[in-house]
Amino acid sequence: MAVDVLLGLQWGDEGKGKIVDHLSDRYHAICRFQGGPNAGHTIKIGKDKHVLHTIPSGVFRPDTMNVVGSGVVIDPITFQGEIEGLQRSGLDCTPNLYISRKAHLILPTHRYLDAASEAQKGAKKIGSTLRGIGPTYMDKTGRNGLRVGDITQSDFKKRYQSLKNKHLKLASIYPEIEFNLQEEEAKWFTAIDRLMKLQLIDCEYFINDLLKNGKNILAEGAQGSMLDITYGTYPYVTSSNTTTAGVCTGLGVPPSSINKVIGITKAYCTRVGSGPFPTELFDEIGEKLMEEGKEYGATTGRARRCGWIDIPQLKYVVMLNGVTELVITKLDVLSVLDSFNAGMFYSLNNGEKSEQLPFDPENQIRDIDYRTFQGWKNDISQVKSFSDLPEQATSFVQFLEKELNVPVKMISIGPERTQTILMD
Ligand code: GDP
Ligand code: IMO
Ligand code: MG
């Protein structure tokens, strides 16, 4: 069988957790392929709200396997915290949880370096989640990292000490920050002992065997395509490949195994952290979207910047990812507006109008040409079928389909599993 991919088409927080949870009973395995505890995927089931950081969003289905793939970076402390949080809510996810031996470990000193590096950048900071993501991927590509499979090796502690010492030397180039290393280290080693008892796998064999045996797999993206290390708004990005290409390296599957690519976009746009955001709103409409959409980070609690949906930006990532179907989330949030916009063209500083994202969006985009849509001003959060949506809403969805040349398969009108409209 094949690997379907689900990923965010903007700067993250598009509602991936909700949609993966919704789809997960159609798949044998849900697999995270990149990122780490910088992700915050929210799943609301009745009164319960869960925020998952490293654990895949298929854990609420009893028969679905959940794989933390080789491209992921794991902080054993956060990971243990997540497992325990789920246990407190009555769910033991460990029997269905598999972790790649090739996934890299986030050390306490990676978090320290992340915070110290951001402190040094001052006003130019990335706005990192401070989960140690950048420094861990740096050690991975620098060929210094420690992997989950190393935990069982006899020289693990020695290698840990040597990497830690290197980090401490490196830290001397940064401003000093508060960090209780001893305390964090003690927690980390306790969490390592627990991690060792979980089901560790050779991810590439495990997943290819599932495929050979006719199983369906969903690769769950973290972050969004605009945060991709290469194709995102560099340097204001994360440190992994968040696009479809990352699935192959992150899970160890060939490109030919990939079938559907499900791209998720909000009906508007948000970004948390620094960096270019061409259609950002700085007025009371932006505030309204933030309030109505409850746009506060699931991992850090930071307010998300809000703006209009950006068609050239979406065309760019549809192209990069080979998106075959679209999911539109948070359409209900637009219900509070009399009218709303979609960015159609960028007016560049050289006088040209462009549908292409320029190399340096911050300094090359002068203005945006918008198309305005009439709002509907009705509560749509309980609507069950596409034909029951107000005409203004259906024509906006059809507009997106036509502009992006990709069919919309699902519309989300609230955080609950049930607040989902299927198109066929
Ligand atoms: P993710 O990182 O892509 O999984 O998204 P987050 O969980 O960080 O942020 C999405 C937020 O929007 C969460 O609080 C969800 O519960 C919520 N959400 C998801 N879909 C919808 C929707 O269609 N409407 C509304 N109002 N909220 C939604
Ligand atoms: P999910 O999976 C939104 C952003 C951070 C920062 C930049 C780099 O929930 O959509 P990092 O900690 O990776 O070094 O931060 O990326 N960022 C996210 N923004 N959603 C996320 O994940 C994010 N993960 C990282 O805010 O701007
Ligand atoms: Mg999130």
Side-chain angles (χ1 to χ4, degrees), residues 12-17 38-42 51-52 223 272 297-299 304:
D13 304 327
E14 296 87 352
K16 298 175 291 293
N38 48 350
H41 295 181
T42 314
V51 180
L52 298 174
Q223 290 78 56
V272 58
T299 297
R304 296 175 183 147

Side-chain angles (χ1 to χ4, degrees), residues 20 34 40 46 48 64 86 92 117 173 187 192 202 223 246 250 285-286 297 313 329 331 397 403 412 415 420:
V20 172
Q34 47 69 234
D48 296 327
T64 305
L86 289 169
D92 180 10
S117 152
I173 65 169
K187 281 196 265 177
I192 285 283
D202 295 318
Q223 290 78 56
I285 298 178
Q313 178 268 305
T329 58
L331 190 64
V397 171
E403 281 296 321
S412 175
T420 313

Side-chain angles (χ1 to χ4, degrees), residues 1-3 248 253-259:
M1 291 294 272
V3 180
C248 295
V253 294
S256 56
S257 68
I258 292 179
N259 182 30

Side-chain angles (χ1 to χ4, degrees), residues 6-8 12-20 38-44 49-52 57 220-224 264 266 268 270 292-299 304 328-333 381 411-416 419-420:
L6 178 145
L7 36 74
D13 304 327
E14 296 87 352
K16 298 175 291 293
K18 173 195 157 157
I19 303 300
V20 172
N38 48 350
H41 295 181
T42 314
I43 292 136
K44 200 156 176 295
K49 182 176 138 179
H50 305 273
V51 180
L52 298 174
S57 302
E220 172 181 0
Q223 290 78 56
I264 308 191
K266 285 181 186 172
Y268 49 99
T270 65
E292 189 62 21
K294 300 193 174 60
E295 296 295 356
Y296 298 93
T299 297
R304 296 175 183 147
I328 299 170
T329 58
K330 298 199 139 180
L331 190 64
D332 55 302
V333 175
S381 64
I411 299 168
S412 175
I413 46 169
E416 293 283 344
Q419 292 175 297
T420 313

Side-chain angles (χ1 to χ4, degrees), residues 51-251:
V51 180
L52 298 174
H53 300 286
T54 319
I55 290 179
S57 302
V59 282
F60 301 102
R61 307 284 182 178
D63 300 324
T64 305
M65 290 186 268
N66 291 278
V67 177
V68 179
S70 309
V72 174
V73 289
I74 300 181
D75 184 334
I77 303 175
T78 331
F79 198 62
Q80 190 54 38
E82 270 184 76
I83 292 173
E84 286 169 2
L86 289 169
Q87 272 162 353
R88 278 195 297 278
S89 70
L91 176 71
D92 180 10
C93 68
T94 56
N96 282 338
L97 186 62
Y98 301 87
I99 300 130
S100 172
R101 290 193 178 88
K102 292 193 174 75
H104 276 245
L105 290 169
I106 302 177
L107 273 56
T109 40
H110 282 132
R111 280 192 284 128
Y112 180 90
L113 286 173
D114 204 0
S117 152
E118 284 283 80
Q120 191 195 39
K121 286 192 166 120
K124 286 203 154 56
K125 70 175 185 195
I126 307 293
S128 154
T129 59
L130 306 181
R131 297 302 187 267
I133 305 296
T136 306
Y137 279 114
M138 276 166 73
D139 273 337
K140 176 179 179 175
T141 51
R143 294 157 297 177
N144 297 310
L146 284 175
R147 299 179 292 172
V148 168
D150 294 326
I151 302 174
T152 53
Q153 308 281 331
S154 56
D155 61 350
F156 178 66
K157 282 220 162 127
K158 202 167 130 207
R159 288 178 61 197
Y160 168 84
Q161 285 300 336
S162 138
L163 189 54
K164 178 185 103 175
N165 290 339
K166 192 169 166 192
H167 289 163
L168 293 177
K169 276 192 197 138
L170 191 57
S172 66
I173 65 169
Y174 294 127
E176 238 179 77
I177 53 153
E178 236 178 79
F179 192 83
N180 191 335
L181 183 54
Q182 244 181 340
E183 200 176 294
E184 293 303 315
E185 226 173 17
K187 281 196 265 177
W188 196 80
F189 276 106
T190 307
I192 285 283
D193 285 343
R194 304 227 170 111
L195 184 58
M196 199 154 34
K197 296 193 181 94
L198 299 176
Q199 304 178 84
L200 309 185
I201 55 166
D202 295 318
C203 176
E204 58 281 34
Y205 286 112
F206 186 89
I207 295 194
N208 282 288
D209 279 348
L210 288 178
L211 291 173
K212 253 189 252 156
N213 291 322
K215 309 290 188 201
N216 280 326
I217 287 172
L218 182 67
E220 172 181 0
Q223 290 78 56
S225 299
M226 297 306 291
L227 290 169
D228 182 85
I229 180 71
T230 307
Y231 293 103
T233 43
Y234 191 88
Y236 299 100
V237 291
T238 190
S239 299
S240 64
N241 291 114
T242 61
T243 46
T244 306
V247 175
C248 295
T249 53
L251 296 182

Side-chain angles (χ1 to χ4, degrees), residues 362-398:
E362 189 113 74
N363 294 306
Q364 286 177 266
I365 299 176
R366 193 186 56 216
D367 219 344
I368 315 282
D369 282 18
Y370 286 108
R371 174 165 162 180
T372 300
F373 295 80
Q374 282 315 302
W376 46 86
K377 285 283 197 160
N378 280 326
D379 179 5
I380 58 167
S381 64
Q382 302 308 322
V383 170
K384 298 288 175 226
S385 70
F386 186 63
S387 56
D388 290 337
L389 284 171
E391 190 269 326
Q392 296 92 328
T394 55
S395 57
F396 180 54
V397 171
Q398 283 158 350

